[in-house]
Amino acid sequence: MAPPWHGEKVNLFIRLLAIVFILCALIAFRSLVEHRDDIFIDADWRDYIGLMFAPYVFLLFLKVAVTGYAPKTWLPWK
């Protein structure tokens, strides 16, 4: 089953939003690494689900930011 975006060219505005998302994610990851002692104290099951899907979303937006095209498959690294 092909994804709905299937390799479409994205416009400049969407590409800039992807770049902003990547920069914010890198800043958040840096903060996560610096304050790793108190992260899982009040963690909920939704936090763990978000942590599982965060690398996928990061790679998806990175592919769009770097190439200017949406990935052709559900896996952005293919």
Side-chain angles (χ1 to χ4, degrees), residues 44-74:
D44 193 9
W45 61 272
R46 291 173 289 235
D47 297 327
Y48 294 118
I49 291 174
L51 283 173
M52 286 188 323
F53 285 111
Y56 172 75
V57 174
F58 180 81
L59 290 173
L60 187 68
F61 278 77
L62 185 65
K63 171 84 172 188
V64 171
V66 170
T67 64
Y69 289 91
K72 295 182 180 186
T73 65
W74 284 100

Side-chain angles (χ1 to χ4, degrees), residues 3-78:
W5 51 80
H6 193 60
E8 296 176 7
K9 181 170 176 49
V10 297
N11 61 18
L12 183 62
F13 179 70
I14 300 299
R15 194 170 181 186
L16 289 174
L17 285 178
I19 292 169
V20 168
F21 176 82
I22 294 299
L23 292 174
C24 290
L26 290 173
I27 292 169
F29 181 72
R30 181 173 180 245
S31 175
L32 185 74
V33 169
E34 287 179 359
H35 304 288
R36 64 180 171 260
D37 296 335
D38 53 343
I39 289 181
F40 297 108
I41 293 173
D42 294 328
D44 193 9
W45 61 272
R46 291 173 289 235
D47 297 327
Y48 294 118
I49 291 174
L51 283 173
M52 286 188 323
F53 285 111
Y56 172 75
V57 174
F58 180 81
L59 290 173
L60 187 68
F61 278 77
L62 185 65
K63 171 84 172 188
V64 171
V66 170
T67 64
Y69 289 91
K72 295 182 180 186
T73 65
W74 284 100
L75 304 174
W77 51 87
K78 281 192 172 183

